[in-house]
Amino acid sequence: MSALPHPAHPLDPPPSKRRLSWLLVFPKLAVALLILALITLLWLLQKSDREERHNILVKDVLWLEQSLRFHLQNHREQLQQLASELSEEPRSSEQTSLFRLRAAHFLKNNPDIARLGWLDATAENIITLPAHRPQSANSPQAQLLHDSFDIARRLGKAVYSLPYLNAPLEGQIHLLLPIYRHDQLIGMLQITYRLNVLLSSQIPWWFTEKYKVEIVDDNDQVLASKTHIEGTSSDSYLIPFDPPGQGLRLKISDYPSTQSPLQNMLTVAILLLALGVFASLWLVRGLMKKSTRAEAALRAEHAFRTAMENSLTVGMRARDLEGRIIYVNPAFCKMTGFSASELVNHDPPMPYWAPEHMDEARAMHQTVLAGLAPEEGFELTFMRKNRERFEALVYEAKLIDGNGRHTGWMASVLDITERKRAEELARQQQEQLQFTARLVTLGEMASTLAHELNQPLAAIASYNTGCLNLLSTENFSCAELRPTLEKIATQAQRAGRIIRRVHDFVRRSEPKRAPCKLRDIIDDCLAFIEPEARKRQIRIETILPALPTVFVDRLLIEQVLLNLLRNGLDAMADTPAPHRLLQLSVHLTPQEVRLTVGDYGCGIPAEIEDKLYTAFFTTKSEGMGIGLSICRSIIEFHRGRLWAEKHPDSPSGSGTLFTFSLPLEPTPE
Ligand code: ADP
């Protein structure tokens, strides 16, 4: 198991969509119920408030009705008292004065009384205070008074008249109280009430702050009204106004006092909070949906990443800025043989550092932490848990987190042991191949060598014969002998060089690059190939500019050139003698020197072009087929290129140009 730096644990299995939507139903239901409960609570509160106000209204109305009744009864009693005083004696000036005195006092204390009158038994006015112009007998008021007078006389008790409107909203009503002496009607006391003054004098201020009080008759005509407030009433209450009766009713209308700001604020706050809760739930729902989607994406990402990690053959290892391991992938665990739990949180020195390479590993570790790790990667020898060593190629890169912060280092580690082993094997094989090739070439060279050596030896022998002949004549000078002896020496040196080259060629040695004059290489090769070419009637043509010094292994480059020249000779075996021409040209550019060997031979068929450089590919009956393969290796070792192309000037149209390039490097000291 690998340890992951961020999602450290696998995610729990996902709840199904249906389960999630079921889970979402509960908070939705709870919020709906909460809002319902709040609305019901507000409604109940308002209802109880209304009922309470109605109860208070009823109580206040009863109180008002009672206080008005007491007031009117009190008037009747006082009037009764006055009537009994007036009935004691026959009408006299003293009694008139008494009436005036009482009446003035009465009126003074009761502003609701408009008039107080004393009538005789025939309803004629004796005294009326305050004095006023008597109404005509036919006026409705006079008629009302007259009717009430009759009723009071007949009933023998106090009677209220029907109400009437003196002016709009100024209703009036009479009270008539008969005066009897010895059971004989001797007169009548009359009070005229101003109903609106009655209301304003009897209703306390606080009552009118809350209610509108009206006196209405049978037809709901308003006779008097008192209020300080305006607006539409929410509740009203009608109660009979008796006394005076006569269909009069008290109408009390309630005006809802404006709710206190605190209460309003509370109501608004509750509603806003409920809305807020609902909105929050909606948001939470959205967030939950989002997080579910994100979770699913994360899960897919996690699965993808795990699959990727498990399929990786490259070891991955992450370290924090202190160099502690924070993550390793399964491939790294497999490579080192340690489990993730053994590696994660491990500080240097790491368990996979080989003890003999400890210093190197530690130095590289510090280099990486300093951010100086080579971009092209570096190689280290690591140790598996079973102490087996392996070669690792490590690439380090910065570990950047989601916020763009540099949090550590991520390394990809390749086990290159096998690759190195294969490379080493290939190198050894190549070396072996070269050696074998040299041996093979040696065989081929043997006959050439015999012929080659034959020439200087034959020359030496003939020069020697010439010298001996000269010596036998006795008539000779030393000066005549010198050039011949020098020629013998030259031929001997040439023979020696031929033998040395063969020796060098056969001797197995590492390529040794050294500054060499290109001209010497070319001259040597031409000298070597010329006899063979002569034998085959092949002309050799050279186009050579001023030649530079090159930094090469001379022997190897000579081998390449010789191989190309010899292939050229072989290719022209069937070319008519006059056309047999081997060309060697050199082309110089500022960066490189190109040597081209051209022939007018059989050419290279397209189908074998790809196989030319394959070892052991040959079209010759005695060929080995490794020449070109070795040539390419040698040239690539020198960081040059080798390629073949059609000879553009070949008369048969099938000749070949083989070119190899060598870079012109500054010659080291
Ligand atoms: P060998 O010469 O032993 O065959 P080489 O590797 O030198 O091995 O050459 C491989 C093959 O390439 C030759 O057998 C030949 O068919 C072809 N070849 C090489 N040089 C030439 C050339 N100049 N013209 C035509 N074919 C050539």
Side-chain angles (χ1 to χ4, degrees):
M1 196 200 91
S2 69
L4 296 168
H6 296 301
H9 301 291
L11 298 168
D12 297 325
S16 69
K17 260 192 170 178
R18 208 190 305 160
R19 212 172 97 200
L20 187 74
S21 55
W22 260 110
L23 281 175
L24 274 174
V25 165
F26 288 108
K28 275 186 206 163
L29 205 68
V31 168
L33 286 175
L34 176 72
I35 291 176
L36 202 69
L38 282 172
I39 292 172
T40 314
L41 183 71
L42 285 175
W43 179 75
L44 282 175
L45 278 174
Q46 279 209 338
K47 192 173 166 234
S48 87
D49 188 43
R50 259 202 314 275
E51 277 172 6
E52 198 182 318
R53 287 180 67 85
H54 186 75
N55 289 341
I56 293 171
L57 169 73
V58 171
K59 268 190 220 161
D60 287 349
V61 167
L62 290 175
W63 171 84
L64 177 68
E65 189 267 344
Q66 201 179 32
S67 93
L68 286 176
R69 188 145 40 87
F70 284 160
H71 179 71
L72 294 178
Q73 269 175 6
N74 187 28
H75 282 182
R76 273 165 61 180
E77 279 165 17
Q78 286 186 37
L79 219 56
Q80 193 69 52
Q81 179 68 32
L82 182 60
S84 64
E85 282 177 24
L86 291 177
S87 68
E88 280 173 8
E89 289 172 32
R91 192 170 54 194
S92 62
S93 58
E94 287 84 23
Q95 276 185 316
T96 313
S97 309
L98 174 73
F99 177 79
R100 280 185 189 281
L101 192 70
R102 291 285 173 84
H105 181 71
F106 203 63
L107 286 171
K108 194 180 165 200
N109 290 330
N110 297 287
D112 50 329
I113 296 174
R115 279 189 304 282
L116 179 59
W118 183 11
L119 310 177
D120 64 9
T122 58
E124 283 304 317
N125 191 21
I126 301 169
I127 308 171
T128 298
L129 287 177
H132 79 300
R133 192 167 53 86
Q135 289 155 336
S136 82
N138 296 329
S139 71
Q141 288 97 326
Q143 193 57 48
L144 274 175
L145 187 64
H146 193 258
D147 292 347
S148 306
F149 188 93
D150 274 352
I151 295 166
R153 184 167 52 83
R154 267 188 274 126
L155 294 176
K157 62 171 189 172
V159 165
Y160 288 95
S161 73
L162 284 170
Y164 63 90
L165 272 175
N166 193 34
L169 286 179
E170 279 186 24
Q172 292 192 346
I173 193 166
H174 304 298
L175 169 64
L176 290 159
L177 184 94
I179 308 169
Y180 286 98
R181 194 193 311 150
H182 312 303
D183 296 333
Q184 192 188 344
L185 180 76
I186 59 162
M188 195 78 76
L189 286 176
Q190 174 226 333
I191 290 179
T192 302
Y193 283 108
R194 287 186 295 208
L195 292 176
N196 53 350
V197 182
L198 173 72
L199 289 184
S200 56
S201 64
Q202 290 308 306
I203 299 174
W205 65 269
W206 58 265
F207 200 92
T208 47
E209 290 292 318
K210 278 164 78 179
Y211 308 112
K212 178 179 183 179
V213 185
E214 289 167 316
I215 297 172
V216 293
D217 64 8
D218 274 344
N219 306 320
D220 281 340
Q221 181 172 241
V222 181
L223 300 172
S225 160
K226 179 166 184 189
T227 183
H228 282 160
I229 48 180
E230 287 179 1
T232 327
S233 82
S234 65
D235 191 13
S236 61
Y237 195 77
L238 276 168
I239 186 170
F241 185 27
D242 190 13
Q246 303 294 354
L248 286 185
R249 286 170 300 164
L250 277 173
K251 184 179 178 184
I252 290 92
S253 305
D254 183 15
Y255 284 82
S257 63
T258 46
Q259 279 188 332
S260 75
L262 187 68
Q263 203 176 343
N264 281 341
M265 267 165 62
L266 268 177
T267 311
V268 171
I270 286 172
L271 286 173
L272 283 179
L273 280 175
L275 273 176
V277 168
F278 190 72
S280 323
L281 186 79
W282 201 257
L283 276 177
V284 167
R285 180 177 165 271
L287 283 176
M288 275 176 81
K289 275 191 171 174
K290 253 190 206 167
S291 80
T292 315
R293 272 201 297 271
E295 199 183 304
L298 190 64
R299 207 180 305 284
E301 174 70 28
H302 177 75
F304 177 72
R305 204 179 131 172
T306 311
M308 209 169 72
E309 274 183 4
N310 293 340
S311 69
L312 266 186
T313 53
V314 178
M316 304 293 288
R317 175 202 59 196
R319 288 179 292 182
D320 63 13
L321 292 171
E322 276 75 49
R324 186 179 303 120
I325 296 181
I326 52 173
Y327 165 73
V328 284
N329 75 341
F332 189 82
C333 295
K334 202 172 153 197
M335 203 182 284
T336 56
F338 291 98
S339 69
S341 55
E342 285 173 296
L343 293 175
V344 171
N345 287 331
H346 206 294
D347 286 307
M350 302 305 175
Y352 50 83
W353 287 0
E356 67 276 16
H357 294 286
M358 192 62 83
D359 291 343
E360 197 186 337
R362 197 186 294 278
M364 211 59 225
H365 178 81
Q366 293 306 335
T367 311
V368 171
L369 291 195
L372 302 172
E375 268 179 29
E376 65 279 8
F378 54 89
E379 288 179 18
L380 275 179
T381 306
F382 282 162
M383 181 177 72
R384 299 190 215 279
K385 200 176 181 182
N386 61 9
R387 310 199 69 72
E388 187 190 328
R389 278 28 176 190
F390 70 98
E391 294 299 320
L393 177 59
V394 185
Y395 296 95
E396 290 280 357
K398 277 185 180 176
L399 192 64
I400 307 289
D401 72 2
N403 300 323
R405 270 183 308 136
H406 175 205
T407 55
W409 300 94
M410 175 62 90
S412 49
V413 184
L414 287 167
D415 182 350
I416 54 166
T417 317
E418 278 310 311
R419 197 175 89 191
K420 287 213 126 189
R421 203 171 286 155
E423 275 173 12
E424 178 59 22
L425 203 67
R427 198 185 60 76
Q428 285 173 5
Q429 277 174 351
Q430 187 70 20
E431 227 170 64
Q432 191 63 38
L433 208 60
Q434 282 182 22
F435 182 62
T436 318
R438 277 196 288 270
L439 285 181
V440 172
T441 316
L442 184 66
E444 289 176 6
M445 282 167 67
S447 62
T448 317
L449 191 63
H451 179 77
E452 183 80 353
L453 281 176
N454 214 19
Q455 272 190 337
L457 289 177
I460 289 170
S462 75
Y463 287 136
N464 191 44
T465 313
C467 284
L468 287 174
N469 288 342
L470 203 61
L471 283 174
S472 60
T473 58
E474 291 179 7
N475 186 19
F476 72 97
S477 65
C478 286
E480 281 176 310
L481 207 56
R482 173 172 288 273
T484 316
L485 288 176
E486 277 174 358
K487 279 178 185 162
I488 291 174
T490 308
Q491 290 303 321
Q493 278 169 3
R494 189 179 159 198
R497 266 213 313 277
I498 291 167
I499 290 168
R500 204 177 317 117
R501 182 167 342 105
V502 173
H503 178 256
D504 283 353
F505 191 75
V506 176
R507 189 163 46 98
R508 184 181 172 155
S509 64
E510 293 293 312
K512 279 187 205 124
R513 294 174 74 183
C516 307
K517 285 186 177 153
L518 191 56
R519 163 72 69 179
D520 293 347
I521 295 174
I522 291 174
D523 284 349
D524 269 7
C525 290
L526 288 175
F528 202 77
I529 208 78
E530 258 165 7
E532 181 69 20
R534 260 200 311 276
K535 204 168 92 186
R536 299 190 190 191
Q537 297 178 304
I538 295 174
R539 282 178 298 126
I540 297 180
E541 186 184 278
T542 55
I543 305 168
L544 305 175
L547 294 174
T549 299
V550 284
F551 186 63
V552 296
D553 184 314
R554 177 173 176 164
L555 203 69
L556 292 180
I557 297 301
E558 277 183 7
Q559 193 182 334
V560 172
L561 192 53
L562 271 178
N563 202 89
L564 296 181
L565 290 168
R566 191 169 297 118
N567 277 351
L569 297 185
D570 291 345
M572 286 187 286
D574 297 330
T575 307
H579 293 142
R580 290 180 197 160
L581 175 63
L582 190 66
Q583 295 168 316
L584 174 62
S585 60
V586 176
H587 179 70
L588 271 170
T589 70
Q591 293 81 29
E592 59 183 18
V593 55
R594 287 181 181 181
L595 281 84
T596 305
V597 176
D599 65 67
Y600 291 97
C602 57
I604 301 171
E607 61 271 20
I608 67 164
E609 259 174 35
D610 294 343
K611 304 178 200 158
L612 283 185
Y613 306 96
T614 315
F616 304 113
F617 171 78
T618 180
T619 55
K620 301 170 195 168
S621 55
E622 286 144 20
M624 284 284 290
I626 53 172
L628 283 180
S629 130
I630 291 171
C631 288
R632 178 172 264 192
S633 303
I634 291 171
I635 295 302
E636 283 174 359
F637 169 77
H638 285 86
R639 281 180 280 150
R641 286 190 308 125
L642 168 66
W643 70 95
E645 56 201 328
K646 270 201 162 67
H647 198 312
D649 308 326
S650 167
S652 60
S654 54
T656 311
L657 293 179
F658 267 94
T659 307
F660 69 87
S661 66
L662 291 171
L664 286 175
E665 295 167 354
T667 314
E669 292 298 312

